[in-house]
Every structure is written in structure tokens, then in C-alpha cells.
Amino acid sequence: MCWSATADLAAGTVISAVGIVCLARVRRARDLPVAALPLLLGVHQLVEAAVWDTGGGCSPAATAWAVIALPLPAVWVPAGVLWAAAPGVRRRLWGPLAAGLITAGVLAYCLATRPVTAEIRGHTIGYGVNVPWMPLVLTGYLFATLGVLLLGGDRRLRTLGVVLAVGALACSALWRLEFASTWCAFAAVASLLVLGWVRRPWGAPPSRDRPKVT
């Protein structure tokens, strides 16, 4: 999320372009889901630009924003990391994927049966989604999206997980103050980290630091 429709539009365009570059540079089919994350982030920013233009309230744009923000990453991120991971580390990634599937199911049901509202608050947008058992659902969501990056064994993806965690905390604090939303800046940094992951040396372990030779 950015602080205005113009900022969202600009950030979304740039981040989407990085996502296209990531997809163009993929050398293994199993890297495609992770490589597509910047494109997903960029489209998310573009959708929010439409939310700004509608002035908030209930709208297809607000619902689309919630779908991309909530159930989609809960499945996409853990499935993508697991698919790209080396066979030796996949076993520990099934937990985040299972948590993501359950969490996404709850969130998808809520979005399908309850309205999504958007309220413009100065330089931020507050989204309203009626989700039951929110602490439990949030725990499952974070374990699926951030936990899988930290458990995947790849140092680049661990860095991505740390950046996204810091970004979520910082943006949450600023949003509560109704100062300005700065998630687009962290999304841009995350997209560059994914680009670095895609361009890693060919033959480097995809989901585990290079093993030591003794």
C-alpha cells in the first residue's frame, strides 16, 4: 500500500516491471512461482490505485485487493518455496503449506460471504474484513508466508522473509498512526531481493546454503 493513488500507480508499474524481468530470467520451471512474487506485488499496488479512485467503500477493487492480500499469498508463497526447494529441506516446509491451505480456506470463505470495505484515512486506506478467530488466522498466515521463507534454507529467501517481517511491523505502526502507508517501499525492496534470487549463480543450491566441503 502507498500513500496515494499516484504513488500506488507508479510503484505498481515499477514493481510489475521487475516481476516481468524475474520471470524472463528464470532458468528452472520450479522457480516460477517465487519469481512471480514481484509481479503479484506490483498488481496489488495497481489494484489499490483503483481503490483510491473509487473513494473507498465496498467495491470490486477493494475485494480484489483483499483476495490478493489474504488467501492468495497464504497458498502461493509456501507452495512456491516448497516447489523451488531442494529435496532435502522440503519435509519441513509441508507444515507452512498446510497452515497456508487452512488459512486460505477460512479467508476465502470470509471474502466470499462477507463484504470488504475500504476507508480512506488521510494518507492510508483501512480495509475491513470480518474474519473470525483473527489471532489464530493471523498466526497461520504469518507461519505460511514468512515462516516458510525463514525455514526454506536459502539465505536470499531468509533475507526476503526478514525484510517482509520488518516491513509489516513498520507499516502496521504507521497505519495505526494514520500517518502514511509505506508498504510499497518494502515491496520494491522485496522485488529486488527476488530478482537477486532468480539471478543466483547457476548450480547454486536453491533452498540451502552451499554445503561445506571437508
Side-chain angles (χ1 to χ4, degrees):
M1 300 184 291
C2 276
W3 52 88
S4 68
T6 302
D8 263 316
L9 184 60
T13 301
V14 173
I15 295 171
S16 296
V18 174
I20 293 172
V21 172
C22 288
L23 291 174
R25 290 182 174 272
V26 164
R27 291 170 288 184
R28 305 184 313 166
R30 67 185 192 178
D31 289 347
L32 282 170
V34 175
L37 285 175
L39 185 58
L40 186 65
L41 292 171
V43 170
H44 198 215
Q45 301 295 148
L46 295 175
V47 169
E48 187 169 76
V51 176
W52 282 103
D53 288 339
T54 62
C58 296
S59 68
T63 300
W65 183 96
V67 170
I68 299 174
L70 299 176
L72 187 56
V75 176
W76 190 297
V77 176
V81 173
L82 187 148
W83 195 21
V89 300
R90 289 178 183 170
R91 180 178 298 179
R92 65 178 182 237
L93 302 181
W94 285 105
L97 178 58
L101 289 170
I102 295 171
T103 302
V106 173
L107 292 171
Y109 174 80
C110 292
L111 294 180
T113 59
R114 303 167 187 181
V116 178
T117 60
E119 179 184 357
I120 296 178
R121 305 170 183 172
H123 294 291
T124 67
I125 299 180
Y127 293 89
V129 183
N130 186 9
V131 178
W133 316 301
M134 190 60 193
L136 184 60
V137 172
L138 179 60
T139 299
Y141 182 88
L142 294 176
F143 181 51
T145 55
L146 300 182
V148 75
L149 293 171
L150 300 176
L151 292 173
D154 186 291
R155 61 181 177 83
R156 296 175 180 85
L157 294 184
R158 281 202 302 268
T159 302
L160 175 63
V162 171
V163 168
L164 292 176
V166 172
L169 289 173
C171 292
S172 176
L174 291 173
W175 179 84
R176 289 178 183 278
L177 294 173
E178 298 187 6
F179 174 65
S181 179
T182 54
W183 174 250
C184 52
F186 288 96
V189 173
S191 298
L192 293 177
L193 290 173
V194 174
L195 179 60
W197 178 82
V198 169
R199 297 179 63 184
R200 66 191 183 279
W202 181 249
S207 300
R208 183 185 292 273
D209 293 336
R210 190 179 297 277
K212 296 180 180 179
V213 178
T214 56

